[in-house]
Amino acid sequence: GEQDFLALETLILPNGVYGAQGYEFQNISDAPDVAKAVYSIKKQRPSLLLEDWYGRLSSHSPDWYDDWFERAPLHICLVEAGSRLGYRWESENGHSCEVIWLDPEPERESSDYEEFIEQLDHIEKRVYFRGFFEPPLEEELNHMSFYI
């Protein structure tokens, strides 16, 4: 019957496969589609372990930052707060952009609202690039570089 098969717990795709761990995209504008594909898999299989998933901008991309690649948020990762999923851009040193939420905020009366608020507070404390939902332009980053 339907319960005769084991549930998929881990999904490891080979390098280069669309949406694989560490997937390299050619443009910043490609990231939302990659993140949404991974999000779709996670929503279909909630028990699937994807919290370490990330994608990154290729160093051959025309969007690549020549001088600030270690400080620029050029990696995307999934973000989870309660039942709410999204993704954000992060730098290698942990500075992140705002979260792009793919799920609505849980209702105040829901059972996981408190967990959502606690995790959201932790997530918000890591946002360095306030007001940016994708990496700032290299010129903007140059203006911020004094503070990074």
Side-chain angles (χ1 to χ4, degrees):
E2 195 174 303
Q3 301 298 322
D4 291 345
F5 297 97
L6 296 174
L8 182 65
E9 294 178 10
T10 305
L11 180 63
I12 301 172
L13 299 172
N15 288 341
V17 172
Y18 188 80
Q21 174 90 346
Y23 179 76
E24 288 192 0
F25 32 89
Q26 293 304 309
N27 298 291
I28 289 172
S29 61
D30 296 338
D33 288 338
V34 175
K36 288 175 185 172
V38 174
Y39 164 83
S40 178
I41 292 168
K42 178 69 174 166
K43 282 311 231 186
Q44 291 172 18
R45 302 279 186 225
S47 63
L48 193 60
L49 301 174
L50 288 175
E51 56 267 347
D52 293 333
W53 179 88
Y54 70 96
R56 63 178 166 235
L57 186 65
S58 169
S59 60
H60 302 291
S61 166
D63 297 335
W64 185 255
Y65 294 66
D66 290 325
D67 297 328
W68 300 106
F69 69 92
E70 289 179 358
R71 297 182 182 151
L74 300 177
H75 296 78
I76 60 170
C77 63
L78 293 182
V79 176
E80 194 167 358
S83 61
R84 195 175 193 194
L85 285 172
Y87 69 95
R88 68 174 169 198
W89 290 88
E90 290 187 343
S91 67
E92 287 186 13
N93 62 4
H95 293 131
S96 70
C97 293
E98 303 275 358
V99 175
I100 299 168
W101 294 108
L102 301 172
D103 285 325
E105 183 174 311
E107 297 290 328
R108 287 186 181 268
E109 301 80 32
S110 71
S111 60
D112 85 319
Y113 186 75
E114 191 174 312
E115 178 185 8
F116 162 72
I117 292 299
E118 286 175 17
Q119 292 174 347
L120 182 64
D121 183 53
H122 177 70
I123 290 166
E124 290 293 320
K125 287 178 181 173
R126 293 194 51 207
V127 175
Y128 177 82
F129 298 98
R130 295 253 174 236
F132 290 93
F133 291 89
E134 62 181 36
L137 299 173
E138 192 166 8
E139 298 81 40
E140 294 170 311
L141 192 60
N142 285 333
H143 291 292
M144 296 177 187
S145 66
F146 178 76
Y147 302 104
I148 298 179

